Amino acid sequence: MSTSYGSSIIRLYDETPLHRDNMLKLVRDGFYDSLLFHRVIENFMIQGGDPNSKDAAPGERLGEGEAPGPRIPAEFRDSLFHKKGVLAAARDNNPEKASSNCQFYIVQGQVFTDEQLDMLEQTRLEGREIPQWQREVYKTIGGTPHLDQTYTVFGEVVQGLAMIDTIAAVETDSFDRPEKDVKMTIRELTRREVRRLEYEDNQL
């Protein structure tokens, strides 16, 4: 994923095959090229993928656009959670919690204390306990735990987290749209590029 504020590499999860395959198809079709990050909230997330954003006028409110086809059924997994850097699917308030077939967000979030996580469990999570190993991530890396098991997480940034922090800090209007357009392009890595990344990871 490339933007005027830097680039990042995102790995899609095999545990969420419906979302993975849908994203790959859209990327291969060039669907995301020149679309905007149209909703940016610092310490929360950056959202994009609305096809109406490609030629949107300055100040136009965005977020309602979809790709042709149905929503994507929810794919909640206990092991996948809203830590900083994850890719997740946006959605409306449909009762099945099915995902938008094109809009996504990348979590910036914030770091939490045990006390804050305890409070979240009792309020926003309605008593659901956050596993201890996930708590440790929320207390060090950060994220948005109140979204867990309600929005589908289907990938994560493996290189270039700085891009998310930079975009999250831009000036926005009253609709959380950046004052200066933040355009994206997304392409699929070649097998050679993936092998090189895996080799570099193994050297760390």
Side-chain angles (χ1 to χ4, degrees):
M1 177 182 292
S2 298
T3 74
S4 55
Y5 293 92
S7 60
S8 62
I9 295 174
I10 298 170
R11 177 173 64 88
L12 301 180
Y13 294 147
D14 289 336
E15 297 94 325
T16 49
L18 300 178
H19 287 73
R20 176 199 64 199
D21 293 350
N22 180 71
M23 184 77 167
L24 282 172
K25 179 184 184 305
L26 293 175
V27 168
R28 290 164 181 166
D29 290 345
F31 176 88
Y32 290 107
D33 292 350
S34 296
L35 298 191
L36 304 180
F37 279 100
H38 65 270
R39 183 170 178 242
V40 170
I41 303 175
E42 192 168 16
N43 298 319
F44 184 36
M45 57 88 224
I46 62 173
Q47 180 175 335
D50 180 349
N52 297 334
S53 69
K54 191 166 191 176
D55 300 306
E60 181 180 345
R61 189 170 185 178
L62 299 165
E64 301 298 324
E66 293 290 336
R71 297 183 179 105
I72 310 301
E75 294 182 288
F76 302 141
R77 304 288 183 264
D78 289 341
S79 60
L80 305 180
F81 62 108
H82 281 79
K83 64 182 178 180
K84 182 177 182 177
V86 296
L87 175 73
R91 63 169 176 80
D92 58 18
N93 289 322
N94 71 89
E96 295 82 18
K97 295 183 170 59
S99 302
S100 164
N101 62 15
C102 59
Q103 292 196 44
F104 63 86
Y105 59 93
I106 303 175
V107 170
Q108 184 191 36
Q110 58 186 332
V111 173
F112 289 80
T113 64
D114 273 318
E115 291 74 19
Q116 289 172 319
L117 294 172
D118 290 343
M119 182 64 71
L120 270 176
E121 287 178 342
Q122 299 307 314
T123 55
R124 303 293 291 275
L125 302 183
E126 300 178 342
R128 184 177 65 81
E129 292 187 5
I130 302 170
Q132 188 60 41
W133 67 277
Q134 293 181 11
R135 273 181 167 258
E136 294 306 314
V137 174
Y138 284 133
K139 291 191 301 180
T140 53
I141 297 171
T144 55
H146 66 280
L147 299 182
D148 288 345
Q149 308 306 312
T150 57
Y151 291 79
T152 296
V153 171
F154 67 103
E156 68 178 278
V157 173
V158 294
Q159 283 190 19
L161 267 178
M163 183 193 81
I164 288 82
D165 291 331
T166 303
I167 294 173
V170 302
E171 292 293 325
T172 56
D173 64 17
S174 59
F175 297 125
D176 301 315
R177 177 176 167 179
E179 296 281 5
K180 180 181 177 183
D181 284 349
V182 181
K183 292 188 176 184
M184 70 179 79
T185 57
I186 308 178
R187 70 175 182 87
E188 183 181 7
L189 295 181
T190 65
R191 290 183 181 274
R192 170 179 276 184
E193 288 171 319
V194 172
R195 284 197 297 268
R196 187 178 74 240
L197 283 171
E198 290 173 342
Y199 173 79
E200 291 171 354
D201 286 344
N202 290 332
Q203 302 308 302
L204 297 177

